[in-house]
Amino acid sequence: MALKGFMKRLTASVQELDAARLSDRYCGLGLTPIAEVPLRRPVRVAGELQRSRVVPRAGSPSLQILIKDGTGEIYAVFTGRRRIGGLDAGRGVVLEGVAREEGSRRVILNPAYTLLGRG
């Protein structure tokens, strides 16, 4: 059986390996997996910050971050912010808020957040 798991890792894509790593890290925390986030209900999710950027939103700057947990991805938008200390690529973060859909993506607007250690 160990050989079978080893062979699977040898043939897996980088994306599959990364999803497995993130899933192992974040899915055991007792939080909602990102793939199962309900809309318009309070939720707590955790994941690794993949990227961030500042975008104009309603006439003011907003910090937009993308986190992934191995099951999916979700955006967090912090209105009126250009930067939040500690929110850097590779950082683990827990987000608390209400998710909604904007286009084809899930978004949490102005979530409460807790920084976790790096992977």
Side-chain angles (χ1 to χ4, degrees):
M1 284 297 180
L3 181 60
K4 187 176 181 180
F6 177 73
M7 293 303 290
K8 186 174 181 178
R9 282 183 293 181
L10 284 177
T11 60
S13 70
V14 172
Q15 291 82 8
E16 291 170 327
L17 292 172
D18 195 44
R21 175 186 66 83
L22 291 172
S23 184
D24 288 346
R25 181 173 180 203
Y26 295 108
C27 289
L29 298 178
L31 304 173
T32 304
I34 291 174
E36 298 173 16
V37 167
L39 296 177
R40 297 184 302 271
R41 289 199 171 92
V43 68
R44 290 185 73 211
V45 297
E48 184 176 278
L49 196 151
Q50 300 294 305
R51 65 179 176 259
S52 65
R53 66 184 185 145
V54 177
V55 295
R57 188 177 180 97
S60 68
S62 294
L63 177 65
Q64 184 181 88
I65 66 169
L66 171 67
I67 68 165
K68 293 184 179 182
D69 72 349
T71 68
E73 63 185 35
I74 195 164
Y75 288 85
V77 176
F78 298 91
T79 57
R81 306 288 298 263
R82 293 184 184 274
R83 176 157 167 52
I84 296 175
L87 278 181
D88 302 311
R91 174 65 73 133
V93 63
V94 174
L95 301 176
E96 297 180 56
V98 177
R100 65 183 193 180
E101 255 187 60
E102 286 186 4
S104 62
R105 61 186 193 169
R106 301 270 167 126
V107 175
I108 301 177
L109 192 59
N110 293 317
Y113 65 93
T114 303
L115 298 175
L116 303 173
R118 294 188 184 272

